[in-house]
């Protein structure tokens, strides 16, 4: 039985109780939100030893970090270290987006090392394996797609970004509208190329019930992938994006009917004056499902600082209703992130999430800042450090000011790492 079906029967599961404890709310609040579909708890029924994370209305805005091997850098142990860095920095979930090397092995490592929910994008593996076995992504079969979903669900993945809300109506709207950056979603590009080459509807949309049957069996939370998210602010809120939201809304209702937990992915690059409209449209069209935003990046002209542009947009998005923020690192648009990029990305996203929580009135958010203000007013530096979003970095600064070597971090001194990063 899924968390959604249990909630509808009036049952409070152990996961709901743990989520309530972590959020400081009544377990009935969590149960009611899960039953209504405004809260999801991504946790595969086969997964053990994972920290429960509830995402949705009335809860703390959560942060997601990305890891994964690729053809350019196939180093599983480095990715495992990134998981540890992300979780220690406060990430609430991670996604394994591996597209190179031993993809199954990397997934096993991710599930083994991560103490938080782990997500994936099954179409990546299906597409890469189609290249290896059949010579191209367009040679991928529908069965390849469903087998990848089944395999990853059986392995223990807690939530999956699946691009079901992409159909020919959305593609045709995109072709008529035109874009500066076309399709920037990798999964969306895989499927659009497949559809146009084979002149067939997206199997993940056409046979959506089969997707739901697999996810329900393992209680995997569906994250409706945003296949046509805007890749620059000029493409924000165009016709294809809105068409995709309309389709996503239909699929949210169908997923809930089947007892499958569902959230919706969103953009992407969004100028500041579009953020609130984008969030309100999604919530209205997608029946108040939790919104998982990939940024959002408020400007396009700050490569190397996109963790900051995303934090600006992410704070506004969260304040307007987004529930789950995917981090963006300084390496975005430039290359693959290092461990330090991951740490900085998580911290920037956490800052955005907390700013949003204050605006939304999330329980405990305002009080945290009030404690910090009182600690500063009383000149209690140790309390200031303990209350900081990054205590180690604050202690580094305080000890440096006293002319002492940093004892908080030793060789991994956060202040030294940040300084060296920006000197590169």
């Amino acid at each position: 039985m899924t968390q959604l079906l249990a909630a509808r029967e009036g049952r409070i599961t152990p996961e709901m109780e743990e989520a309530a404890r972590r959020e400081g709310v009544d377990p009935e609040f969590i149960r009611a939100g899960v039953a209504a579909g405004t809260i999801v708890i991504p946790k595969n029924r086969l997964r053990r030893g994972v920290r429960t994370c509830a995402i949705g209305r009335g809860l703390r805005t959560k942060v997601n970090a990305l890891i994964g091997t690729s053809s350019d850098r196939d180093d599983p142990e480095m990715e495992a270290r990134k998981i540890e860095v992300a979780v220690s920095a406060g990430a609430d979930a991670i996604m394994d987006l591996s597209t190179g090397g031993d993809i199954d092995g990397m997934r096993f490592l991710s599930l083994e090392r991560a103490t938080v929910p782990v997500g994936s994008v099954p179409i990546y593996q299906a597409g890469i394996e189609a290249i290896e076995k059949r010579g191209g992504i367009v040679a991928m079969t529908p069965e390849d797609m469903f087998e990848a979903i089944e395999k990853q669900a059986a392995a223990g993945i807690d939530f999956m970004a699946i691009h079901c809300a992409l159909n020919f109506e959305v593609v045709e709207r995109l072709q008529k509208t035109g874009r500066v950056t076309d399709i920037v979603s990798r999964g969306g590009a895989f499927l659009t190329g497949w559809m146009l080459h084979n002149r067939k509807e997206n199997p993940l949309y056409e046979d959506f019930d089969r997707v739901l049957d697999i996810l329900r069996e393992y209680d995997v939370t569906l994250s409706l992938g945003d296949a046509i998210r805007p890749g620059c602010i000029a493409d924000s809120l165009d016709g294809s994006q809105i068409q995709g939201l309309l389709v996503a809304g239909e699929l949210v209702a169908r997923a809930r009917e089947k007892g499958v937990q569902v959230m919706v992915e969103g953009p992407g690059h969004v100028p500041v004056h579009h953020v609130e409209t984008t969030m309100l449209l999604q919530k209205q069209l997608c029946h108040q499902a939790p919104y998982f935003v990939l940024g959002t990046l408020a400007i396009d002209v700050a490569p190397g600082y996109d963790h900051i542009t995303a934090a600006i947009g992410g704070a506004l998005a969260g304040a307007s209703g987004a529930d789950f923020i995917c981090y963006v690192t300084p390496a975005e648009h430039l290359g693959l992130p290092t461990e330090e990029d991951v740490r900085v990305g998580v911290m920037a996203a956490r800052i955005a999430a907390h700013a949003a929580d204050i605006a939304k009135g999330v329980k405990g958010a305002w009080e945290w800042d009030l404690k910090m203000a009182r600690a500063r007013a009383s000149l209690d530096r140790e309390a200031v450090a303990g209350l900081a979003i990054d205590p180690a970095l604050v202690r580094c600064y305080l000890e440096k000011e006293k002319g002492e070597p940093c004892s908080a971090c030793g060789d991994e001194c956060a202040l030294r790492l940040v300084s060296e990063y920006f000197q590169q």
Side-chain angles (χ1 to χ4, degrees), residues 84-107:
E84 294 171 3
V85 168
V87 173
S88 65
D92 300 287
I94 66 113
M95 291 187 78
D96 181 351
L97 307 186
S98 294
T99 57
D102 183 358
I103 296 175
D104 290 332
M106 187 63 233
R107 183 182 314 110

Side-chain angles (χ1 to χ4, degrees), residues 190-209:
F190 281 11
L191 283 167
T192 300
W194 186 93
M195 291 163 64
L196 294 174
H197 178 84
N198 293 286
R199 298 183 182 180
K200 292 182 179 179
E201 184 56 275
N202 175 8
L204 303 176
Y205 171 78
E206 195 169 47
D207 203 356
F208 185 55
D209 283 335

Side-chain angles (χ1 to χ4, degrees), residues 9 12 117 121 168 207 217 226 231 241 331 340 354 408:
E9 290 185 359
I12 294 176
V121 187
F168 268 121
D207 203 356
E217 180 180 353
D226 190 357
Q241 182 184 351
E340 180 58 15
H354 182 60

